[in-house]
Structure formats: structure tokens, C-alpha cells
Amino acid sequence: MRTASHRTPRLPGRGTWREARRVADILRKETLGGALLLAAALAALAWANSPWSRAYEDLRAMRVGPAALHLDLPLATWAGDGLLAIFFFVAGLELKREFVAGDLRDPRRAAVPVAAAFGGVAVPAALYLVVAGADAVQGWAIPTATDIAFALAVLAVIGRHLPAALRTFLLTLAVVDDLIAIVIIAVAYTIHLSALPLLAALAPLAGFAVLVRRRVRSWWLLLPLAFSTWALVHASGVHATVAGVLLALTVPVPRGARAGVPEGGPGLAEHFEHRFRPISAGLAVPVFAFFSAGVTFGGLDGLTGTLTEPVALGVVAGLLAGKPIGILAATWGVARFTRATLDEGLTWTDMTGLAVLSGIGFTVSLLIGELAFGPGGDAHATVKVAVLAGSLAAALTATVILRSRARAYRRIHQAETADSDDDGIPDLYRAT
């Protein structure tokens, strides 16, 4: 009986003890970044709705950069195209690490979060199209993204005892979600493509790849190549954040003697992630939020009128309903197909709370909204209000659901942190 139970697939699954510790470390950093993101967004909203709102718009429109290279861009564009490239670089490192050396290299562990991520993209996109209508079809991808920093900031407020299985599932779901978002941005929102700059970008990208393969860490060698790749991708018409992902995918992940490091030592991808994640979470994403979240509501009547627009209704419906429906349907389907059972102590209420929490779309949703409708204009402002409203509604709803299970989470947390030996590995993880 015990053997059969052990062989029964579990979802979402805790993962290995090493993976659980790594996830916990990432979540701590992202939680702080989420708090800074919220502060930046609130500051932008307060400024945009103050008597000095014109100064906020002037700051967003201020141009800086070398005109000779056609990079004299507004600060808002630098935040979206430049700083978010750092965010996507870190996302690319995390993505590659998960599929090469993390738990996602095991198809059995990868099946649930990958299926859930695809469900969490397909259903909100379809729901948006039904609600918003054909006139706003270009915004179909807006409600498909999960903002992990924002979601973790909510988790930090509602409780610290979320089981490791749920935390790992949330992070893994967000990683796959980022991959899908990258593909969508590169394919669906590239309108004017210039082949020559895109081909030219391969030269500095190849140089960067050669250096990192040789474990070169010197910033004065790597940074010019990375910037050249970014500038050429930007000039090609492909969104410049894609350059961050391309650079990340060249960084080697393998660990051990074959990777040129002592057994168990950090690989170059882990080194870069450790260096750049604080910059991404503590600077790039909050600055982007500051320049992107500011929108003038026009009072209560203006806010109500904006939220009744088809585009706004489609975005809110996609985030608040489409995301959880898609994630839960895909998760249930995998469980049904593989005859998997929920991890010990978890219920479908927990999965529902996590699925609703995944409806918090902010950073990438705002970016896609700008790509879909263009910066400025009434449609873009409507998207901002809808993303903020949908994310807030998802956060509040998830809080109610997850708080109702606080006692159960406390018991699971105690079991996960209980040691019987001196090696620091909890008994709950010895089987994994």
C-alpha cells in the first residue's frame, strides 16, 4: 500500500529539498520587489491624479539618449524597452535553469504547471475576445500574464505559511507564463520587421555566447555586447525585451566538473541570476511601474465610465475569471488523465486560491497593453485602469480564499520545517 501511494503522482508537488530552498530564496527577493512595485504604482497613480499631473506626463515624455544612434527615447520608453530587458534577462535565466537543471527537466513534474500556464493563457484570451469584441481584438493577450512580484507581495501580506508545494507551483507557473508572454510579444506584436538589424544582432549575441561559455564574467566585455544586441533588436522592430531573453538563453546552466566549477558550486547562470535579480526586482520593475501605472481617473464617474468600456470589461473578465478557470481546468484535466492526487494536506480550495492569485497581471499586462494600443490615447488609458482594477479584484478575492485556509497552512508549514536529523532536511522531503 505504501509503495502504491508513493508511486501515485502528486500535484502540485513539493519538488526536491534543494529546489524548495532555492524557490524560497527567490520568493524572498521577489516579495521585496513586489512591495517596491506596489509603492511605485501607488506613487504614479497619486501623482497622475494630483494637480501636478501635467508634470508627471512631461517626465514620462522627456527624451534622453544618443540621437545619432536613434536612441533619443522618452523615459517611459527606456523603462519599458530598456529596464524591462533586465527583467526578461532574469526570467530567461530562470526559464533555462528550470528546464535544464530544475524540477521542470522531469516531464512528470513539468506537466501540471506547463498545462496550467497554457490554460491560464488560452481561456482569458478567449474570454477577452468574447467580451471586448472584434473592434479591440489586438488586446487579446493583455489578461494572459501573471505578475509574480505583485502576487508574492500579496502573499507576504496574507501570510507566510503557504505550503512549499503551492509556492513552487506559483513560481513555476509564472516562469512558463513568462515564456509564453515572450513568444507572444515577439510574434504577435512585431509589426514592422527590419531584417538587417536583426541579423546584425547575431554578431554581438554570438560574441556574448562565446564569452559566457568560457565563464567570462568581466562586465567591461559582456556589457557592450549585451547593449549592442539590445540596440540592434530594438532597431529591428522586435520588442527590445526579447534581447534580454536571447542573451539569457546563451548562459550555461550545467553544474559540476563538466561546467568548470566544483561539484555543487554555482554555475554562471546562477551567478548572473543572483547578481541581476535584485536589480530587476528592486529597480527595473518598480521604475517601469512608476512610468506605466500613472493614469488619470477623472473622478468616480470617469472611473465607472472607463470600467464599462468593452476593452476594460474584457481585461477584467480575463484576469478575474479567465485566468483561474483556465488554470483550474488544465490542472484538473492533468489530474484526471494521470490519476494524480493533490499533495498531502491540500484541497481544491487551495488550488482555486492560487489560480485566482495568478489573475494578478501588472508588469507584462501593461507592457502588452501599450504594444497593442500604442502609448497614450484613450484606449491605452482604459487598459491601464482595467489592469489595475482586475489585478486588485483578483488580489482581494485570493486573499479571502487563502486566508480561510490559514490554520491548515500553519500545520503544513510546521511539518515541512520539522527536522529529525542534523542535516537540516525536513522529514517531509526525504522521500523526494
Side-chain angles (χ1 to χ4, degrees):
M1 291 293 293
R2 185 173 181 177
T3 302
S5 174
H6 179 69
R7 290 178 180 175
T8 301
R10 296 283 184 144
L11 61 91
R14 291 184 302 273
T16 61
W17 171 236
R18 185 175 67 182
E19 188 72 3
R21 287 192 302 174
R22 190 187 69 84
V23 168
D25 181 59
I26 291 175
L27 296 188
R28 281 193 293 270
K29 295 176 182 176
E30 292 289 356
T31 300
L32 177 59
L36 294 174
L37 182 153
L38 288 174
L42 290 174
L45 286 170
W47 193 354
N49 288 276
S50 73
W52 305 279
S53 59
R54 181 65 185 176
Y56 174 76
E57 294 299 331
D58 290 342
L59 180 63
R60 293 183 75 254
M62 182 184 296
R63 288 184 171 269
V64 296
L69 299 176
H70 303 288
L71 291 176
D72 53 333
L73 307 173
L75 286 177
T77 302
W78 275 112
D81 290 17
L83 288 178
L84 277 195
I86 301 174
F87 166 80
F88 279 105
F89 178 73
V90 175
L93 291 172
E94 177 65 20
L95 178 70
K96 186 174 182 180
R97 207 216 70 84
E98 282 291 337
F99 280 99
V100 173
D103 283 348
L104 288 186
R105 72 186 186 278
D106 182 352
R108 293 174 299 176
R109 293 188 185 275
V112 175
V114 169
F118 275 97
V121 168
V123 175
L127 190 56
Y128 169 89
L129 291 172
V130 170
V131 176
D135 292 339
V137 65
Q138 67 268 38
W140 64 271
I142 296 171
T144 61
T146 296
D147 193 304
I148 186 64
F150 203 152
L152 292 174
V154 173
L155 285 182
V157 172
I158 64 178
R160 301 178 180 178
H161 303 303
L162 195 73
L166 292 180
R167 289 182 296 163
T168 302
F169 180 81
L170 178 63
L171 182 63
T172 307
L173 171 67
V175 168
V176 181
D177 198 293
D178 285 339
L179 170 62
I180 299 172
I182 291 161
V183 174
I184 289 173
I185 290 171
V187 175
Y189 293 103
T190 298
I191 300 174
H192 303 292
L193 180 63
S194 298
L196 187 59
L198 191 60
L199 291 174
L202 295 177
L205 179 64
F208 184 91
V210 169
L211 291 178
V212 294
R213 289 286 172 183
R214 296 183 177 182
R215 295 189 53 80
V216 174
R217 302 183 183 186
S218 303
W219 66 268
W220 54 273
L221 288 173
L222 296 177
L223 189 58
L225 293 171
F227 181 79
S228 298
T229 304
W230 174 89
L232 288 167
V233 171
H234 180 272
S236 74
V238 177
H239 198 267
T241 54
V242 175
V245 182
L246 295 176
L247 290 164
L249 294 180
T250 67
V251 181
V253 169
R255 303 163 66 92
R258 291 184 180 180
V261 295
E263 185 66 28
L268 195 56
E270 187 175 346
H271 170 77
F272 282 158
E273 187 179 344
H274 177 74
R275 287 289 183 89
F276 283 95
R277 185 176 293 279
I279 299 174
S280 171
L283 176 65
V285 174
V287 171
F288 170 77
F290 176 78
F291 281 109
S292 297
V295 59
T296 302
F297 293 140
L300 183 59
D301 291 339
L303 178 61
T304 303
T306 299
L307 288 175
T308 56
E309 293 287 335
V311 171
L313 291 174
V315 171
V316 173
L319 291 173
L320 188 58
K323 263 291 187 183
I325 290 173
I327 291 171
L328 286 174
T331 304
W332 182 86
V334 172
R336 185 81 171 176
F337 178 75
T338 61
R339 297 184 179 180
T341 59
L342 289 174
D343 204 42
E344 185 178 354
L346 300 181
T347 69
W348 282 104
T349 299
D350 306 310
M351 296 303 299
T352 300
L354 205 67
V356 174
L357 189 68
S358 299
I360 297 177
F362 191 82
T363 305
V364 179
S365 291
L366 290 175
L367 175 61
I368 294 176
E370 181 176 326
L371 295 175
F373 294 101
D378 294 338
H380 187 211
T382 299
V383 168
K384 288 184 180 183
V385 173
V387 169
L388 292 170
S391 299
L392 179 60
L396 294 176
T397 305
T399 297
V400 172
I401 296 172
L402 295 175
R403 286 291 291 174
S404 69
R405 294 274 296 156
R407 291 185 179 179
Y409 296 157
R410 227 173 269 117
R411 290 195 298 269
I412 296 173
H413 178 73
Q414 290 173 354
E416 289 177 343
T417 54
D419 299 338
S420 64
D421 297 320
D422 296 330
D423 56 6
I425 302 178
D427 294 337
L428 204 60
Y429 285 92
R430 295 191 184 282
T432 60

